[in-house]
Structures are given as C-alpha cells and as structure tokens.
Amino acid sequence: MSGKRLRKSATDLKSLAAQLGVSQSTVSRALHGHPAIPETTRRRVQSAADAAGYRPNARARSLAIGKAEAIGLVFPLERLQLPETNFVDVLAGISTVVTERNYSLLLSPFMDDETAVLRKLASSKAVDGVIITRPLVDDPRIALLNSLGLPYVVHGRTEVDAPFSYVDTDNDNSFERLTGLLLDYGHRRIVAVNGLAHFRYAAARAAAFHRAFAARGLSARAEAVEFVSMTEQTGYETALRHLRGANRPTAFVCGSVFQARGVYRAIAACGLAVGKDVSVVAHDDGVRGVTALELMPPLTATYTPIRKSGELLAATLIDLIEGKRNSPSRTIMPFDLILRGSVQVA
Amino acid sequence: MSGKRLRKSATDLKSLAAQLGVSQSTVSRALHGHPAIPETTRRRVQSAADAAGYRPNARARSLAIGKAEAIGLVFPLERLQLPETNFVDVLAGISTVVTERNYSLLLSPFMDDETAVLRKLASSKAVDGVIITRPLVDDPRIALLNSLGLPYVVHGRTEVDAPFSYVDTDNDNSFERLTGLLLDYGHRRIVAVNGLAHFRYAAARAAAFHRAFAARGLSARAEAVEFVSMTEQTGYETALRHLRGANRPTAFVCGSVFQARGVYRAIAACGLAVGKDVSVVAHDDGVRGVTALELMPPLTATYTPIRKSGELLAATLIDLIEGKRNSPSRTIMPFDLILRGSVQVA
DNA sequence: CTGAAAGCGCTAACAT
DNA sequence: ATGTTAGCGCTTTCAG
C-alpha cells in the first residue's frame, strides 16, 4: 500500500547512471552535449536514455538551474467567457511559439485581483516571466512588475514613464489612416466607435482621429468619439443613436469588426445602405471567424492579424528571459489598409 | 555582473527563519498550520511572512512533496485556431476550477504527435495529471496513459476496455430524444448531420438515432446519417445536398448549433421555411456566442452547457490526484430538452 | 575525460 | 513545541 510502488517509466538520472556504470554527472553531461564527453559515450548514454524514455524531472531541473522554463499568461477570466474577444487568437499565437521554443505555458486567469496573481507568480517563481494584456493609459502593473523583478512583456503600450517591452497594434497610424481616408472622400460628419476610455489603445485612437482632422485643417467635435465596449451590440446601439439624432453622420470609424458589424446592423435598421448612404471603416484584428470580407458590403479596414502579435509576445518574452536582449523591445505591428465596398465618396 | 544580484522580494525560508530566530521547520510548520505550533508563534511567523511577501518556491516545494500541484490540458493546437469549436468554453470551465483549487494549468498543445506530449508530460513530471479530449471510438491514449501511470480524465468516452475516468455529454440519450421527438411529430424522412465517424461521440449519436427508430418499430436508412465535420459550412452543404435530392427530408437532427445554423441557411436557400416546411433539432453545448435561441425560428435543442463539463473535468482530475477517489469517476452530464419553434408536425 | 560532492529551497521524518 | 537532518532529482563547480 504505502510500500514502493512499481513505476515502469520512472527512470531517473541515478538509475540510468547505475545501469550504465558511470556517474550521474557523466550522464547529465552527455545528454546536454557537453564538449568534454566523447562521441562514443555520448551515444551510448543517449541510446540508453532513449530506451528508458528518460526525461529530466522538470521540477528538479528547474530548481537546479534556477529557471522554470515556463511563462505565464495573466488575464481576466472573463476574456475566456465572453464571445466577442480577440483573446483566443492572441493565445493561439503565444501557444505556438511557447511550444516551439520548448517552454511551458501557464494559464493564470484572475477574477478581480490581478496584482495578487502577479505577486504570487513572482514570489513562488513558478514562471520565468509573464505576458500581461490590455494596458490602461496609466498602468500600475508596470511599476509593480519592475519592482518585483519579474520579466514581462505587455500586449499594448501605456504612458507610464518606465522602460518595458511591448508588442502593440499600430493604433495611432491605423486610426489616422482610416479617419483620413473618410475625410479625403469628403466625409465630415464622422463618428468614431472607439473602445473604453481607460484603455490606452482607445485613447491613442481617439487622438489619432482628431489628428487626422487637424492635418487637414479641420476639427472634429469631441462628441464624435464614443468610448464604448468592443461588442456588436454596443456598435449597434451607438450607431443607432447617432443615425437617429440630428445631423446624421455620413461615416463611422470602428475599433473592431465586432463593432462594425453592429454599425452595419444599425444602418440597415434605419433603412440605409452601407457604402452608399453611410460609409464604414474599422480596424481588423483578423479574429477567427470574424472576417471583414464577409460583411455585406465587404468592410474597408486596416488589417493586422493579432495572432501574429501573440507569437511576437511570446518570442519577445522568451528572448528577454534568456538574456538575448538587454534593452526593452518595442514592436509596433505593421498593418495593411484594405479598400473594400463599405466606403464611398460623400 | 555574475556576483550576487540584489533581489528585494526574494525572501526564502532560510532568511525568514533567521530573521525570526527560529528554524526553517518551525516557519514551514507555522505557515502550514501544523497543529503542534502554538497560535502565538504561528501568528508571529505569519505576519513576518506576509510582510516579506513570502511564498514558497513552487519548484522546491514540488520537488519536496513530489507533486507539481499543476495539471495539463493536452489538445490539438488547431482547436485554438479554428473559429467553430467548443474548446474555449471547456477551457474556461477548467480554468475556473483549477484556479479555485489552487492548482496551475499548463496548456499543452500539439501539432500532430499527441503521444509525444503525453510521454513528455509524464516522464518530466511537469504535471500531476492531464485532461485529454475528443476520444476516438477505440482510443489508444487510454492504454498509453495507463501504462505511463499518469492520472488523467477524458472529456468523452471511448469503447476501450480499461478503467478510466471521464466526463461526457449524454450523447446517447440526447440523440435518442431528439430523433424520437421528430418521429413522434410524424417525421420519417429525417437526416442526421453528425460528427466525424472516428470520434466516439459521433458513433454513439448514430446508434442513438437508429435506436429511436427501432423503438418505434421503424428503421432508418444508413444513408440518413451523415458523418461530417462540426461546422456551419458543412451543415449547409450536407443539408443542401439532401434538400435538392430526391425524397426531400422533412427534418434534420444536428450535432451542434454550428451545423444547425448551416442547415437553416440551406433550407432558406431552397426557398423553404424552418419549422414549417422542414423541422430542425440539435444538441446545444451552450457555446459562447452561439445561442440556439437567437436563430430564427429559435432552435429546439437538448442543452448542456459545456463549460460545466470543463469544470467537472478539472474537479475530477484534481480529486483523483489528491486521492479523493479510488475508482474511476464516470460522469454523464444531464441535459434539458427545450422545445422552440424549429419543429412542427410533419 | 570523469567522478565526488555541494546545493537549488523546501518538506517531513526523526529527534528531543 | 521546536530543532536537526535527510532527502526530492537535477546541474555544476571542483578535483583529479
């Protein structure tokens, strides 16, 4: 019962070494391709290890080398529960690279206290670094992580004045381009259906919107920017409010294809036609199953597949952990502006 | 450079003990609520630990206690890349319980060689157990995992003759009920849009379909069951083929709301009306953003939110790991049959 | 080229 | 009630 369990695959270094008649260090070295080990013994050890299905105990190895060879992804659990999110796509990208680089990925959701999760991850040394997402304009996590000494990469930027690595969508340029496009087509009454104001990306997009006006000697009313959540329903409601108000807008810039879908629906509900009576443009994250191309008419959009950002996030963090870079890495993803049928001259 | 780094939060047992003037074991015991430690010292230690932000090094602890306090979720990477999947909902459920129970969740995707991942997880002892998904009719992973001695729970059943724990949808009864419902409404030309044949759930559903006929002294043609993938597009194509063929079906049973959506679309494409000219029923996993209620007309379906299965999977595995159960745990989720407008008497 | 031995930070017998 | 000590399985100086 509590005696020795027989365990067939439980080969460890010690028994492997004993079986081969060499010391543990020799086996360990051979398996790690240590230069001092001659090819003959290396092969002998390797094949014995393969035969036994030996794999170093990850916990022991971690403890010895002082690294977990694992990273954590810290996120609000909610992002796995709500349907309209690009989170899964980011996760897919992260997942791919983490696997390629032979790291493990620890999923660390939180309900409300992200800080606690971060502290725990840092002090328990369960991971070598973390990816955090959706930074606020002025994000307190940066200071915390810096003081904790836990390596991290942010998906998105923040205005905090401290060095940190990030991968971000090019919100500034994409929104300036989208807005500029509409302006150049002669639109003036444009509404921006933007994200919630405390997120840095939404702030950046709002600024870009105004910048596009200013660059043409124009100016947008402040009320032209709506800071709302990233859902179709919100897009719908927001657009409807404007379409039914006085001074009907002739165009909308949307933060996501989700919102754009809602805007399309609102336009239809008013008996108007997208790309004819009202123009619509958006930023497209290339989220699974949410394609700008399949809307009717196809949606003009700036495009950056967000899965790619996930891949870069993981690669950047692992490089950071492995000391392959010293200075903060700052990546702003390039985008394509793809013209489709949802825009027409005003 | 390679000298001692100063690390503010790097409190370990030793320094904590030194600082308190007691031994490491006393601190360890106090922190674990060992009965022999008097309340006074326990509190003294606890507050010192809190102040220092002490958290045991997870790797060291794991090594010492021989448990990782972590579980792995092994799945084809693809399930994170394709839009039409219930995987994310299962993951959300797993994630919630794992967090509640203070375990870590290791995401272990694979490209093609699941076996390799399983072996690695087992031999490196990175996790205490795994959750595997989508069992085949005769699934080789069961034998492998049993021989590996790695605790596991399967999402779904398989016909393999060996003891294993699982959580499964009640495919047998739900499909028998759905088919029976149509039969009792007088339908005879019924097509089952089912999953791919090698998956056990699809095989079970096919059998249930035939059983419903047999129970009424009827029999279905073998061609009435279509083994296809779980997507809207497939549902569409499959339904279209039947609707345009001779002997048009009067009803469809679908494996998922995804497929049902496609079937709805095919029916409309033929100028027919769902719930009037053709009846449709399905099993509904309660996937995020895919609600049977929002179809027009609302879809009659058996309902079991699959997130719940995720929760149970995690709970079952952790119980298993902690020795809270000895015999295999077999859970078949209950379901509700919800009648909505997509069905009418033939 | 290879072995012995220390140590990663913790837990848990085994003292006392 | 608390301290001492022996590992957990690995990597890695340090010797030789």
Side-chain angles (χ1 to χ4, degrees):
Chain A
M1 210 103 242
S2 60
K4 296 169 199 192
R5 317 248 278 329
L6 84 164
R7 22 181 193 157
K8 10 183 71 166
S9 66
T11 328
D12 58 4
L13 246 204
K14 188 176 349 188
S15 36
L16 200 58
Q19 175 195 323
L20 284 163
V22 295
S23 73
Q24 293 191 32
S25 11
T26 300
V27 178
S28 177
R29 283 178 187 126
L31 260 24
H32 288 83
H34 186 113
I37 301 287
E39 188 56 20
T40 30
T41 42
R42 204 198 61 72
R43 263 208 293 269
R44 206 167 67 87
V45 172
Q46 186 61 260
S47 54
D50 290 347
Y54 171 77
R55 203 89 48 139
N57 179 312
R59 279 118 64 172
R61 177 175 156 80
S62 284
L63 189 57
I65 67 176
K67 299 158 136 284
E69 293 175 314
I71 67 168
L73 174 59
V74 182
F75 63 97
L77 180 58
E78 170 194 292
R79 294 196 73 186
L80 234 32
Q81 299 171 333
L82 299 178
E84 296 171 80
T85 175
N86 59 21
F87 178 71
V88 177
D89 302 81
V90 178
L91 175 56
I94 293 173
S95 204
T96 308
V97 170
V98 167
T99 304
E100 277 171 12
R101 307 266 309 241
N102 267 304
Y103 269 62
S104 294
L105 177 60
L106 214 62
L107 230 50
S108 305
F110 62 89
M111 300 289 234
D112 29 53
D113 195 355
E114 179 168 12
T115 298
V117 173
L118 257 19
R119 284 183 193 284
K120 175 170 178 178
L121 249 24
S123 53
S124 74
K125 297 199 164 30
V127 296
D128 298 325
V130 293
I131 293 172
I132 63 173
T133 64
R134 307 193 83 179
L136 306 183
V137 174
D138 192 351
D139 203 295
R141 292 172 295 178
I142 304 299
L144 174 63
L145 285 163
N146 283 341
S147 85
L148 251 27
L150 181 66
Y152 65 97
V153 174
V154 188
H155 187 195
R157 273 163 285 173
T158 156
E159 305 299 341
V160 170
D161 182 31
F164 62 93
S165 296
Y166 64 77
V167 174
D168 199 3
T169 299
D170 192 353
N171 297 301
D172 305 85
N173 288 313
S174 78
F175 259 60
E176 190 161 348
R177 287 286 294 282
L178 289 171
T179 309
L181 178 76
L182 293 175
L183 289 170
D184 293 343
Y185 268 62
H187 292 278
R188 290 298 175 270
R189 294 198 305 283
I190 308 175
V191 168
V193 183
N194 197 1
L196 293 173
H198 55 280
F199 291 122
R200 194 269 171 192
Y201 75 87
R205 288 170 172 190
F209 178 78
H210 288 292
R211 214 160 44 237
F213 274 80
R216 288 161 183 78
L218 302 166
S219 76
R221 293 155 307 127
E223 317 86 74
V225 181
E226 293 277 8
F227 295 95
V228 296
S229 64
M230 276 294 169
T231 65
E232 166 167 353
Q233 187 57 23
T234 304
Y236 173 73
E237 289 162 4
T238 306
L240 208 54
R241 208 167 49 242
H242 282 275
L243 289 168
R244 290 195 173 150
N247 240 321
R248 197 173 78 201
T250 64
F252 289 89
V253 200
C254 307
S256 68
V257 178
F258 294 120
Q259 288 179 331
R261 276 178 170 173
V263 171
Y264 268 53
R265 189 152 60 85
I267 291 170
C270 292
L272 300 169
V274 174
K276 194 153 186 296
D277 305 310
V278 185
S279 290
V280 182
V281 298
H283 176 70
D284 178 5
D285 274 332
V287 169
R288 301 152 33 253
V290 188
T291 74
L293 230 170
E294 281 173 8
L295 292 185
M296 276 297 290
L299 175 66
T300 290
T302 47
Y303 177 71
T304 308
I306 201 152
R307 194 196 296 181
K308 191 81 192 161
S309 300
E311 294 173 9
L312 243 42
L313 280 164
T316 303
L317 180 55
I318 294 176
D319 283 350
L320 215 60
I321 289 168
E322 297 184 343
K324 290 189 184 157
R325 32 177 29 114
N326 320 305
S327 53
S329 155
R330 294 154 178 267
T331 307
I332 292 169
M333 303 296 291
F335 63 87
D336 292 320
L337 174 53
I338 305 177
L339 293 167
R340 301 199 187 87
S342 64
V343 181
Q344 217 172 49
V345 175
Chain B
M1 211 106 237
S2 59
K4 296 167 199 189
R5 316 247 277 330
L6 85 162
R7 22 182 192 156
K8 11 182 73 169
S9 66
T11 329
D12 58 4
L13 246 204
K14 191 178 343 190
S15 37
L16 200 57
Q19 174 196 323
L20 284 163
V22 294
S23 73
Q24 293 190 32
S25 16
T26 300
V27 178
S28 178
R29 282 178 188 125
L31 261 23
H32 288 84
H34 186 115
I37 301 289
E39 188 56 19
T40 29
T41 41
R42 204 197 60 71
R43 263 208 295 268
R44 206 167 67 87
V45 172
Q46 187 60 259
S47 53
D50 289 347
Y54 172 78
R55 202 89 49 141
N57 180 311
R59 280 118 63 173
R61 179 175 154 81
S62 284
L63 190 57
I65 67 177
K67 297 157 137 284
E69 292 175 313
I71 66 169
L73 174 59
V74 182
F75 63 96
L77 180 57
E78 170 194 292
R79 295 196 74 187
L80 233 33
Q81 298 171 334
L82 299 178
E84 295 171 81
T85 175
N86 58 22
F87 179 71
V88 176
D89 302 81
V90 178
L91 175 56
I94 293 174
S95 204
T96 308
V97 170
V98 166
T99 304
E100 277 171 12
R101 306 258 320 234
N102 268 302
Y103 270 62
S104 294
L105 177 60
L106 214 63
L107 231 50
S108 304
F110 61 88
M111 299 291 236
D112 28 52
D113 196 355
E114 179 167 12
T115 299
V117 173
L118 257 17
R119 285 184 191 284
K120 175 168 177 181
L121 249 23
S123 53
S124 73
K125 298 203 164 28
V127 296
D128 298 325
V130 294
I131 293 172
I132 63 173
T133 64
R134 308 193 84 181
L136 306 183
V137 174
D138 192 351
D139 203 294
R141 292 172 295 179
I142 305 299
L144 174 64
L145 285 163
N146 283 342
S147 84
L148 250 27
L150 181 66
Y152 65 98
V153 174
V154 188
H155 186 195
R157 273 162 284 175
T158 155
E159 304 301 341
V160 171
D161 183 29
F164 63 94
S165 295
Y166 64 76
V167 174
D168 200 2
T169 300
D170 192 354
N171 296 300
D172 305 86
N173 288 314
S174 78
F175 259 59
E176 190 162 348
R177 287 286 295 283
L178 289 171
T179 309
L181 178 76
L182 293 175
L183 289 170
D184 294 344
Y185 268 60
H187 293 278
R188 289 300 175 267
R189 295 197 305 281
I190 307 174
V191 168
V193 183
N194 197 0
L196 293 172
H198 55 279
F199 291 122
R200 193 269 172 193
Y201 76 86
R205 288 172 170 189
F209 178 78
H210 288 292
R211 212 160 47 237
F213 275 80
R216 289 162 181 78
L218 302 167
S219 77
R221 294 155 306 128
E223 317 86 73
V225 181
E226 293 276 10
F227 295 96
V228 295
S229 65
M230 275 295 167
T231 65
E232 166 167 352
Q233 186 57 23
T234 305
Y236 173 74
E237 289 162 3
T238 307
L240 208 56
R241 207 166 51 241
H242 282 275
L243 289 168
R244 290 195 172 150
N247 239 321
R248 197 174 79 202
T250 64
F252 289 89
V253 199
C254 307
S256 68
V257 178
F258 293 120
Q259 288 179 330
R261 276 179 170 173
V263 171
Y264 268 53
R265 189 152 59 87
I267 293 170
C270 292
L272 300 169
V274 174
K276 195 153 186 300
D277 305 310
V278 185
S279 290
V280 182
V281 299
H283 176 70
D284 178 5
D285 275 332
V287 168
R288 302 157 24 255
V290 187
T291 73
L293 230 172
E294 282 174 8
L295 293 185
M296 276 298 290
L299 175 67
T300 289
T302 48
Y303 176 71
T304 309
I306 201 153
R307 194 196 296 180
K308 192 83 193 159
S309 299
E311 293 173 8
L312 244 41
L313 281 164
T316 304
L317 180 56
I318 294 175
D319 283 350
L320 216 60
I321 289 167
E322 296 183 344
K324 290 189 183 159
R325 31 176 31 113
N326 321 306
S327 53
S329 155
R330 296 153 177 268
T331 308
I332 293 170
M333 303 296 290
F335 64 85
D336 291 320
L337 174 53
I338 305 175
L339 293 167
R340 301 198 185 88
S342 65
V343 182
Q344 215 170 50
V345 175

